[in-house]
Amino acid sequence: MNLTPEQIAAAQKANLETLSGLTNQALQSIEKLVELNMHIAKQSLSDSMNSAKKALEVKDIQQLLAHQAEAVQPMAEKIMAYSRHLYELAHETQNSFTQSAEKEFQAGQKKINSLVEEWTKNAPVGSDAAVQAMKQAIASANNVFETSQKAVKHAVEVAQTNLNSATETVLKATDTATKTTKKK
């Protein structure tokens, strides 16, 4: 089973295209992360300036406590929103890479299957056991890949559920704390 120069060149070209696609996906994710962080930095600077101005207007301890209580919940909400955006970006990037990997795996699987079929046509008499072993190995590799993909997807779903639950808990606790502080 010898590869021709044309097959090698085609494989190298396909690998280069895959690398280029993955690099573009990674750069898009980095660009989105930088945009998110710049937005957060600008918003934080503005919020800090507003909070400092309000703090300078405080005349007694009650106003100071009220000012701090007002600042806590929006800050917690912003932190949770940032965490959600960060998680969504990571999830989107992971999905993009997973789709690329699945596409490449399927293309590779088709190539291997066609090579095995070509090889079995030209296989010497009595090599049926070797052909079956090779086909079984390929099927096993496919099963391992599919099982790992299912496990990764399940783990992502569990992480999403946990993140949503944690977000709700933190926001409820912050809301309760803010209400308690305002009553005083």
Side-chain angles (χ1 to χ4, degrees):
M1 187 163 59
N2 294 327
L3 295 176
T4 66
E6 291 82 18
Q7 290 172 322
I8 293 171
Q12 289 176 336
K13 181 180 177 186
N15 289 339
L16 185 61
E17 288 174 4
T18 299
L19 177 63
S20 175
L22 291 174
T23 303
N24 284 333
Q25 290 172 3
L27 289 174
Q28 288 172 355
S29 295
I30 291 169
E31 183 179 16
K32 288 177 183 178
L33 179 61
V34 168
E35 287 175 7
L36 175 63
N37 286 334
M38 287 300 297
H39 174 74
I40 294 298
K42 288 177 183 177
Q43 189 177 24
S44 294
L45 179 62
S46 175
D47 292 348
S48 295
M49 288 298 145
N50 290 336
S51 181
K53 288 176 186 175
K54 286 182 181 179
L56 291 173
E57 297 171 0
V58 169
K59 294 186 172 101
D60 62 17
I61 193 74
Q62 291 295 47
Q63 284 182 338
L64 179 61
L65 291 175
H67 171 67
Q68 288 177 337
E70 288 176 9
V72 171
Q73 184 171 2
M75 188 184 331
E77 289 172 354
K78 288 176 185 173
I79 290 170
M80 294 310 296
Y82 176 75
S83 296
R84 271 191 302 258
H85 286 297
L86 205 55
Y87 175 80
E88 288 169 4
L89 178 60
H91 184 65
E92 179 182 310
T93 302
Q94 184 265 336
N95 277 345
S96 180
F97 282 144
T98 299
Q99 288 173 355
S100 294
E102 287 174 352
K103 183 176 149 187
E104 288 301 312
F105 182 77
Q106 289 171 355
Q109 186 179 9
K110 287 179 184 177
K111 288 177 187 175
I112 288 175
N113 287 339
S114 68
L115 286 173
V116 169
E117 287 300 318
E118 184 178 319
W119 181 71
T120 57
K121 289 178 186 174
N122 300 323
V125 176
S127 60
D128 294 339
V131 169
Q132 279 305 105
M134 185 176 290
K135 287 183 178 181
Q136 186 61 37
I138 291 170
S140 294
N142 291 340
N143 287 337
V144 167
F145 180 77
E146 289 174 10
T147 302
S148 65
Q149 285 297 96
K150 288 177 184 176
V152 166
K153 288 177 182 177
H154 178 69
V156 167
E157 289 171 2
V158 168
Q160 178 69 42
T161 301
N162 290 342
L163 178 66
N164 290 339
S165 177
T167 300
E168 288 177 27
T169 302
V170 168
L171 291 177
K172 286 178 184 176
T174 305
D175 189 40
T176 303
T178 303
K179 288 177 182 176
T180 303
T181 306
K182 285 182 180 178
K183 287 180 183 178
K184 291 180 182 179

